[in-house]
Amino acid sequence: MIKEFKDFISKGNVVDLAVGVIIGSAFGKIVSSLVNDILMPIIGIIIGGVDFSDLKIKVGGAKIAYGMFIQNIIDFLIIAFCVFIFVKIVNKLSNLTKKEEEQKEEKITETELSVLKEIREELKKNSKKQVTTKKSIKANNKKKKD
């Protein structure tokens, strides 16, 4: 069981996933800082100097912090947009790689095709020579008999 676990952990996909989670976590902190420290104060100034983190409604003894909810929505939208852009870039690079591979395959196929054509032509020439040689052998044998 330990060997299976070791094999599982050492696979590239698991390591890639772990790196992705760590980088994603760090990226989330950067986006949160961008939203909380830069965007939300600017948005607050634009709509009249409102600090979103302080926006709350008191209902009885409970506080509903809808300002933090708005900040979290903006966080989500920025992260989602960044992931969208990243996926578009990766897909574009992937398509370029596929096109390059297809072009290489076409070149290989063309080369193979030309080699096969040359072989066919050589075989045709050789078969004509063999037919001619067989005819001359038969003719020689016939002359010897006569």
Side-chain angles (χ1 to χ4, degrees):
M1 185 158 171
I2 292 174
K3 183 182 181 309
E4 287 178 317
F5 181 70
K6 182 180 174 185
D7 291 342
F8 173 75
I9 291 297
S10 65
K11 286 185 181 177
N13 293 342
V14 175
V15 174
D16 292 344
L17 180 62
V19 170
V21 168
I22 292 167
I23 290 174
S25 174
F27 183 70
K29 290 179 183 178
I30 292 170
V31 171
S32 292
S33 176
L34 172 71
V35 170
N36 295 334
D37 302 329
I38 297 172
L39 293 179
M40 293 312 285
I42 293 171
I43 292 171
I45 291 169
I46 291 172
I47 61 172
V50 178
D51 181 11
F52 280 89
S53 61
D54 291 338
L55 293 177
K56 299 173 187 164
I57 296 176
K58 291 185 181 181
V59 179
K63 293 180 184 177
I64 300 174
Y66 68 92
M68 291 303 292
F69 179 70
I70 292 172
Q71 282 185 334
N72 288 332
I73 289 173
I74 292 173
D75 273 357
F76 169 76
L77 292 175
I78 290 172
I79 291 171
F81 181 73
C82 289
V83 169
F84 171 75
I85 296 298
F86 178 73
V87 168
K88 281 188 67 103
I89 290 170
V90 168
N91 286 340
K92 193 170 220 171
L93 291 174
S94 175
N95 288 339
L96 287 175
T97 305
K98 285 181 184 176
K99 287 180 183 177
E100 289 174 359
E101 289 175 4
E102 288 174 359
Q103 288 174 349
K104 286 179 183 177
E105 287 178 10
E106 287 177 8
K107 287 180 183 177
I108 290 170
T109 304
E110 289 174 11
T111 305
E112 289 175 355
L113 184 60
S114 65
V115 169
L116 289 172
K117 285 180 180 178
E118 288 176 20
I119 292 171
R120 182 186 67 201
E121 295 301 318
E122 287 296 319
L123 288 172
K124 282 182 182 179
K125 288 178 187 176
N126 287 341
S127 67
K128 288 179 183 177
K129 287 179 183 176
Q130 286 178 353
V131 169
T132 306
T133 306
K134 286 181 182 178
K135 286 182 181 177
S136 45
I137 291 172
K138 285 182 183 178
N140 285 340
N141 288 339
K142 201 174 196 184
K143 285 180 185 177
K144 287 180 184 179
K145 288 181 183 179
D146 292 336

